[in-house]
Amino acid sequence: DNPSINGVDLGSVKDAVMKAVSSGGSTLELGCGHGLPSCFILRENIRLTEPEKSCKNKERNSIVVFIDFNDYVLHHAAIPNAQINLALSCEEDVQSLWWSRAVFAGGDWMGISREFLNGSKSKVTTKQNSIGARKDAIPERYDLILASETTYTQESCEDTAFLMMKHLKIDGGVGLVATKRFYFGVGGGTDFFSEAAELLGKCNQEPFSGLRLAVRSIRSYDTGNANIRDLLEVRCHRK
C-alpha cells in the first residue's frame, strides 16, 4: 500500500526515494547545510549493495549531489557529516566512495546548473568549486531533489522553481521543498513559490517549452505560536 499523511497519497514520493537509492538513482540537495537527508540516501544505497560486499559496484551505485552556496559549509559540515555516515556503513576508504557516489559543490546555484549540471563535460569555474564524482558522471535530471529554506525571497522562489524544472526527471522525478508559508518583509514562501512554478510552466521558450511544474502541499506544520511550515511536492510533467 502507498503511504499517506492525513489522506494525502505519498506513493510518488516513496517511488522517487526508492529510485534514488537504487541502481543508477540520483539525488540533488539544494542548500544542503549538514546534508542529513543526502547522507541518509548514501547510507541506504550502501546498505542495498551490501550483498555484493563492495561499495565500488558501479552498476548499483547511486549518485548524490550536495550543493551549498558557501564552501565553508561543505568543508566544515556536509563533508565531515558524510564521512562519518559512510564510515559507519562501509569498510572501504571513504574518500574513494566520493568519486563514485557523491559530489559536493559550492557556489551560486544557477552557475552550478550552467557549468556542470547540464550534462556537459565543461570544466567547473573557480566560483563553482566541487569535490567528488567525475563531472561527466553527474546527470542532468534527478529522481529526487531536496530543498529546505530556499524560498525566502521572490527571487529565490524563482531560482528554486527554475532548478526543479531544469533538473527533475520528467514525469518520474519528485522534488521536496520545505518552506515557511511566509517570510515576512522579504517576500517568498509557499504562495510565491507556487506562483513562480506556475509562471515558469507558461514559458514557451527552450529549454522549458512543453513542460510544466505541478506543486502540492503534502504536509503543514502549525504549532500555533510560530510561522506555519509547509512540505511541498514538486513534479515536472509534459504539457
Side-chain angles (χ1 to χ4, degrees), residues 55-68:
C55 288
K56 295 181 180 179
N57 188 320
K58 296 182 179 180
E59 293 184 357
R60 292 184 59 84
N61 284 350
S62 63
I63 188 164
V64 180
V65 179
F66 298 71
I67 292 179
D68 201 279

Side-chain angles (χ1 to χ4, degrees), residues 82-119:
Q83 185 174 15
I84 292 171
N85 278 273
L86 293 178
L88 293 173
S89 304
C90 183
E91 296 179 357
E92 295 193 30
D93 178 60
V94 172
Q95 184 66 36
S96 68
L97 294 178
W98 292 350
W99 297 105
S100 61
R101 294 176 186 270
V103 62
F104 303 85
D108 173 69
W109 299 349
M110 304 303 282
I112 290 174
S113 174
R114 289 191 300 269
E115 293 292 344
F116 71 102
L117 292 182
N118 59 1

Side-chain angles (χ1 to χ4, degrees), residues 33 56 58 72-73 122 148-149 153 187 200 208 212 235 237:
K56 295 181 180 179
K58 296 182 179 180
Y72 70 84
V73 171
S122 60
S148 178
E149 301 291 347
T153 65
L200 199 58
F208 299 148
R212 66 179 180 86
R235 304 191 69 186
H237 297 294

